[in-house]
Amino acid sequence: MRIRVSDGSREIIFELNDSSAARSLYEQLPLTLETENFSSNEKTFYPKKLDVSDTPLAKSGGRGVLAYYEPWGDVVMFYDSFSPNSSLYELGKASRGADEIENLSGEIKVERLED
């Protein structure tokens, strides 16, 4: 499963893992919503609640990791390193455009990429 996140001038392609949370996100697409800055290492957006039943924790990495923070219900696009958290689940990783995550702003489109 591959998805594209775009704000009209920047584009990031993510390869999703085969977890229930990643499938839950994929099934909601396409989405058009606002992206928000959080902290100094991530951009976030808010889909409907994702099922994390068999989803691995996001244990390490940084730029390009796509994750879901269950308590707040937000999808997180990391553009710098982060600390592991027992409520942060990995959805996938950027295969292209990871350097653009930090510059995303305003309304974004999140859509499926068909193979």
Side-chain angles (χ1 to χ4, degrees):
M1 295 179 292
R2 295 182 322 137
I3 65 171
R4 173 180 31 237
V5 177
S6 172
D7 68 358
S9 46
R10 291 165 206 80
E11 175 179 281
I12 300 94
I13 306 299
F14 290 97
E15 300 281 339
L16 300 182
N17 60 31
D18 191 32
S19 68
S20 56
R23 289 189 302 274
S24 292
L25 176 62
Y26 195 75
E27 290 167 5
Q28 293 181 35
L29 302 181
L31 293 171
T32 300
L33 30 74
E34 292 291 316
T35 186
E36 299 176 12
N37 292 311
F38 188 79
S39 189
S40 61
N41 62 340
E42 63 192 72
K43 298 282 183 165
T44 64
F45 64 89
Y46 291 84
K48 292 179 183 170
K49 183 175 176 65
L50 304 182
D51 171 16
V52 297
S53 59
D54 72 349
T55 306
L57 292 175
K59 295 186 179 182
S60 64
R63 183 180 307 269
V65 171
L66 185 70
Y68 178 64
Y69 187 60
E70 186 182 28
W72 295 350
D74 60 323
V75 171
V76 181
M77 300 174 285
F78 286 103
Y79 57 85
D80 204 347
S81 60
F82 63 90
S83 298
N85 179 305
S86 64
S87 298
L88 186 65
Y89 296 89
E90 186 166 323
L91 301 174
K93 295 190 175 161
S95 59
R96 190 173 78 214
D99 292 340
E100 295 292 341
I101 296 169
E102 184 174 5
N103 300 314
L104 284 173
S105 64
E107 189 175 84
I108 59 171
K109 289 185 180 183
V110 185
E111 51 199 342
R112 296 178 185 190
L113 277 181
E114 304 298 330
D115 289 326

